[in-house]
Amino acid sequence: MSVRKIIIGNQQVDAKEVELPQAQLLFYSENPRIYTILQDLGESPTQPEIEKQMKAHDHVKTLKDSIKANGGLLEPIIVRRNVVLEGNSRLAAYRILASEDPIKWGKIKCNVLPDDTSDDVVTSLLGTLHLVGKTPWSPYEQAGFLVRRIEKSRKPIDAIAQELGIRVSDAKLSIEVYKEMMAADDMNPTKWSYYFELLKNRDIRKYDENNPTMEFKQKLIEKIKNDEVDRAADIRKYGTLAKSKGENSVEAITDVLNGDITIDAAVELVSNETKLASLNAKVETFFNFINKEQVALKENRGDVELNFTLKKIKTLIDTMLG
């Protein structure tokens, strides 16, 4: 047995490098990746339920083949009090291998933390590995981890963010998105990017605040839930509608939310209107300039270059008006 010194935050933890019987180890249900996988099993899944669910996942089966090809783990799992804090997928892969050859795959390489290692240190460790480290959790998994960590520790978000080495603004937005998904009863990890785009879009937020009776945001959430938004990036198109000031913008928003026209058709409608409004504004600006400077133009109409330019303008206008 050897000792590996692990630096976690500003602390040093002495972990024992040993091989333990994998059958004695427990899955860590609070691990965000496992938590996401086990959502349908309720709040307190049993170890056999966790194992069965984990073994069924494709990434575990792929990992099993990799471990078998390498003759074991390249990176030990991390354990505290027989609970696998880091490496639950590897444990599941070992369980599959052990069902084929219990002798060869009976023990697994572990870094065992002292029993008195605090939850704060564990949180910092997992954050270092998966929020800012080389094997990141998905944004959905990260957000779930943050929400549960705050609820369990009762620490302010600023302290949690510092503990994990991430920006407070990023942590706050992640939590807001996760809670929005909870409120919408749409805890589908593949929908994360849709809600992320929705909540970070200031134009949608502002429009919803200024036009509460339209229920723009809520109706858009329903479209996300019902798979009526093709891509997360399309949420930005709804933002384009929200910031449009044209006469047809309200009608376009109403029609697209009701499913009467596509989002692309609605954007084209308001874009054409915006272009026309811009053109009108430029013409108006030119008219105001001519009107303001007409005295100076009359006084200098003998100037050859100026007179030539004014004639070109007149010719152009005559041509446009037929």
Side-chain angles (χ1 to χ4, degrees), residues 123 127 131-132 138-151 155-180 192 196 199-200 205:
T123 298
L131 270 71
V132 295
S138 70
Y140 176 86
E141 291 167 339
Q142 292 182 22
F145 178 74
L146 285 170
V147 169
R148 292 188 295 277
R149 177 61 184 149
I150 289 173
E151 290 175 349
K155 290 183 178 181
I157 180 59
D158 299 46
I160 296 294
Q162 183 178 8
E163 192 176 84
L164 297 172
I166 59 178
R167 293 191 301 180
V168 174
S169 58
D170 290 342
K172 286 182 176 179
L173 180 56
S174 291
I175 291 170
E176 184 181 3
V177 173
Y178 193 85
K179 288 187 174 181
E180 188 69 59
W192 167 269
F196 180 79
L199 290 189
K200 79 172 187 178
R205 188 191 299 265

Side-chain angles (χ1 to χ4, degrees), residues 31-270:
N31 180 290
R33 188 147 295 161
I34 288 191
Y35 192 92
T36 300
I37 292 173
L38 304 179
Q39 282 185 132
D40 296 334
L41 296 182
E43 294 186 2
S44 302
T46 65
Q47 286 293 311
E49 287 176 329
I50 296 174
E51 181 177 331
K52 180 180 179 181
Q53 199 86 341
M54 291 291 291
K55 285 180 175 179
H57 271 255
D58 290 339
H59 80 277
V60 171
K61 296 175 184 177
T62 301
L63 185 58
K64 181 262 294 184
D65 293 335
S66 176
I67 292 172
K68 187 175 183 178
N70 288 309
L73 294 183
L74 298 178
E75 183 71 22
I77 63 175
I78 299 177
V79 177
R80 180 190 64 169
R81 303 170 200 153
N82 267 23
V83 176
V84 178
L85 303 175
E86 163 60 19
N88 287 270
S89 294
R90 281 169 277 170
L91 175 60
Y94 253 69
R95 294 275 170 89
I96 297 175
L97 290 168
S99 66
E100 301 170 359
D101 189 341
I103 302 300
K104 181 174 176 58
W105 304 104
K107 290 188 175 182
I108 186 170
K109 287 194 294 186
C110 307
N111 285 329
V112 181
L113 303 181
D115 287 351
D116 60 357
T117 303
S118 69
D119 288 343
D120 287 347
V121 171
V122 169
T123 298
S124 183
L125 169 65
L126 295 178
T128 300
L129 289 172
H130 296 294
L131 270 71
V132 295
K134 62 182 180 180
T135 54
W137 291 316
S138 70
Y140 176 86
E141 291 167 339
Q142 292 182 22
F145 178 74
L146 285 170
V147 169
R148 292 188 295 277
R149 177 61 184 149
I150 289 173
E151 290 175 349
K152 188 174 181 179
S153 69
R154 299 187 181 278
K155 290 183 178 181
I157 180 59
D158 299 46
I160 296 294
Q162 183 178 8
E163 192 176 84
L164 297 172
I166 59 178
R167 293 191 301 180
V168 174
S169 58
D170 290 342
K172 286 182 176 179
L173 180 56
S174 291
I175 291 170
E176 184 181 3
V177 173
Y178 193 85
K179 288 187 174 181
E180 188 69 59
M181 294 178 73
M182 292 178 66
D185 193 24
D186 189 15
M187 301 305 289
N188 182 345
T190 63
K191 296 290 183 68
W192 167 269
S193 55
Y194 291 78
Y195 287 91
F196 180 79
E197 289 289 346
L198 175 64
L199 290 189
K200 79 172 187 178
N201 195 299
R202 296 179 180 178
D203 294 317
I204 292 177
R205 188 191 299 265
K206 185 176 180 181
Y207 187 91
D208 198 55
E209 292 172 352
N210 294 336
N211 304 274
T213 58
M214 289 284 290
E215 296 184 329
F216 187 27
K217 177 183 166 186
Q218 186 55 44
K219 289 180 179 178
L220 187 47
I221 286 175
E222 290 301 317
K223 292 181 78 69
I224 293 172
K225 288 179 64 175
N226 295 328
D227 296 323
E228 295 174 7
V229 180
D230 292 335
R231 301 176 304 142
D234 286 346
I235 298 297
R236 300 171 200 167
K237 297 178 183 178
Y238 288 89
T240 298
L241 291 184
K243 69 179 179 181
S244 173
K245 304 298 182 182
E247 294 180 2
N248 294 322
S249 62
V250 174
E251 181 181 355
I253 290 174
T254 301
D255 287 347
V256 77
L257 290 178
N258 290 338
D260 297 330
I261 60 174
T262 66
I263 181 62
D264 289 327
V267 169
E268 184 177 3
L269 177 65
V270 298

Side-chain angles (χ1 to χ4, degrees), residues 276-288:
L276 181 59
S278 175
L279 179 61
N280 284 334
K282 290 176 181 178
V283 172
E284 184 70 19
T285 298
F286 176 72
F287 174 80
N288 290 336

